[in-house]
């Protein structure tokens, strides 16, 4: 009986290990991802554009608004990749070791993966909250390499995280910004590491983002009480004439009040950009 249980445990371990094989890896390890294709799409014969979708801090590819965006893009003939950043949910790593720079590395790894897919024609980026910061800086870095994304959508881009780290206040946690502890607990449970706090203070967010000169749409809810509208205003200044700002009346930061409207603004931007149509 003991021998049987040992064998069963070994088989279970192998199956779980196999289930956790990752196609893309970032600084913290494997990145869990979901590829959503247009209905009826044949990867062997068809081609389409793709959008890489990036969630916010402490969030996931399976949390609003990412799944709704993937579904709507699919309806409009656009594929997407959504993924959990390192240290988040189903991806490898620990939240405490997450930094924006590491998340940019995750995004660049996803870019390389998408670029290698034979059925993908063009690639654009979208980010919500901190994912917007990552998407904007990734676009700027890629532009410096001569491979700028086709387009960029930022939903409530959370550059306010830099002010929070500099001021020593972050989602309920208070700390000395010049000498933070190994980690602080945000919302009483989420560990934010010392490395994140110190490195975020030094980021050139808008300067890096400004390296991207392609089309940008910024979407921000008028009732967002987490990321102030001033963050989107600063992005507008950084992008000069290349961006448009859409303010969604009554929407909050988590995109739970006007989800269809926000998703519609994002999807229409990409539909017009790629010329896919319904």
């Amino acid at each position: 009986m003991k021998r049987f249980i040992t064998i069963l445990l070994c088989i279970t371990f192998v199956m779980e290990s196999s289930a956790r094989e990752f196609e893309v890896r970032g600084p913290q390890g494997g990145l869990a991802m979901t590829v959503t294709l247009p209905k009826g799409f044949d990867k062997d014969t068809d081609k389409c554009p793709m959008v890489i979708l990036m969630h916010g801090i402490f969030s996931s590819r399976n949390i609003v608004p990412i799944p709704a965006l993937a579904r709507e893009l699919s309806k409009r003939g656009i594929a997407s990749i959504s993924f959990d950043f390192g240290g988040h949910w189903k991806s490898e790593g620990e939240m405490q070791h997450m930094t924006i720079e590491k998340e940019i590395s995750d995004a660049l790894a996803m870019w390389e993966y998408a670029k290698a897919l034979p059925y993908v024609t063009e690639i654009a980026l979208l980010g919500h909250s901190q994912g917007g910061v990552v998407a904007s800086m990734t676009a700027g870095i890629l532009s410096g390499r001569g491979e700028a994304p086709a387009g960029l959508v930022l939903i409530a881009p959370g550059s306010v995280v830099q002010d929070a780290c500099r001021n020593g206040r972050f989602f309920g946690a208070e700390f000395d910004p010049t000498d933070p502890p190994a980690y602080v607990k945000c919302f009483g449970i989420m560990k934010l590491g010392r490395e994140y706090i110190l490195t975020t203070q030094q980021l050139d967010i808008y300067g890096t983002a400004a390296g991207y000169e392609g089309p940008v749409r910024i979407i921000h809810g008028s009732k967002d009480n987490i990321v102030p509208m001033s963050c989107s205003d600063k992005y507008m200044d950084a992008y000069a004439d290349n961006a448009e700002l859409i303010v969604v009346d009554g929407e909050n930061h988590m995109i739970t009040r006007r989800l269809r409207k926000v998703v519609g603004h994002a999807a229409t931007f990409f539909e017009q950009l790629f010329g896919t149509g319904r």
Side-chain angles (χ1 to χ4, degrees):
M1 185 67 177
K2 288 183 179 179
R3 178 180 174 81
F4 173 76
I5 293 174
T6 301
I7 292 172
L8 184 61
L9 289 172
C10 288
I11 291 173
T12 302
F13 175 77
V14 170
M15 290 178 66
E16 288 180 349
S17 297
S18 176
R20 288 186 62 78
E21 289 180 357
F22 299 96
E23 295 183 76
V24 182
R25 305 186 73 82
Q28 290 211 65
L31 301 175
M33 68 180 187
T34 301
V35 176
T36 304
L37 299 172
K39 186 177 180 180
F41 187 84
D42 188 332
K43 292 189 288 185
D44 294 325
T45 59
D46 299 333
K47 292 186 180 297
C48 68
M50 175 171 275
V51 180
I52 300 175
L53 307 174
M54 306 182 206
H55 65 76
I57 191 170
F58 307 139
S59 191
S60 160
R61 73 191 192 282
N62 295 319
I63 294 178
V64 176
I66 302 300
L69 288 161
R71 289 193 298 269
E72 186 61 27
L73 289 171
S74 174
K75 292 177 183 178
R76 304 194 190 203
I78 304 168
S80 65
I81 293 180
S82 55
F83 67 99
D84 293 340
F85 283 111
H88 288 74
W89 301 91
K90 296 295 184 179
S91 288
E92 293 184 325
E94 297 181 24
M95 185 74 69
Q96 182 179 339
H97 302 311
M98 174 269 302
T99 68
I100 289 177
E101 291 168 315
K102 288 175 184 175
E103 292 198 345
I104 291 172
S105 294
D106 290 342
L108 290 171
M110 280 295 163
W111 172 270
E112 292 302 319
Y113 175 81
K115 194 171 64 171
L117 294 172
Y119 57 84
V120 172
T121 55
E122 299 176 86
I123 308 171
L125 307 179
L126 177 148
H128 171 234
S129 195
Q130 179 166 289
V133 175
V134 175
S136 70
M137 295 181 73
T138 300
I141 290 169
L142 286 169
S143 298
R145 297 180 182 179
E147 46 181 336
L152 175 65
V153 169
L154 308 179
I155 301 176
S159 51
V160 68
V161 295
Q162 185 167 67
D163 294 331
C165 288
R166 289 174 175 173
N167 296 334
R169 290 172 166 265
F170 204 114
F171 287 129
E174 296 189 15
F175 49 87
D176 178 356
T178 63
D179 186 23
Y183 67 85
V184 297
K185 285 188 177 181
C186 299
F187 305 115
I189 53 173
M190 297 294 192
K191 291 183 179 180
L192 193 72
R194 174 185 172 89
E195 184 184 7
Y196 176 95
I197 294 169
L198 293 177
T199 59
T200 300
Q201 294 179 38
Q202 304 303 319
L203 292 175
D204 182 12
I205 294 176
Y206 302 109
T208 303
Y212 176 69
E213 298 180 350
V216 181
R217 174 168 286 182
I218 302 173
I219 306 168
H220 206 130
S222 68
K223 297 296 184 181
D224 191 329
N225 61 0
I226 295 178
V227 174
M229 193 67 66
S230 59
C231 291
S232 287
D233 291 337
K234 289 177 182 177
Y235 268 110
M236 288 295 291
D237 291 339
Y239 289 125
D241 299 326
N242 300 322
E244 61 174 330
L245 172 61
I246 296 177
V247 178
V248 179
D249 187 49
E251 183 55 287
N252 57 25
H253 184 70
M254 302 310 296
I255 319 300
T256 57
R257 295 179 179 173
R258 306 285 189 272
L259 176 62
R260 290 182 61 183
K261 184 167 288 188
V262 171
V263 168
H265 284 311
T268 297
F269 171 85
F270 291 122
E271 182 181 48
Q272 294 173 347
L273 177 73
F274 295 129
T276 53
R278 286 182 180 268

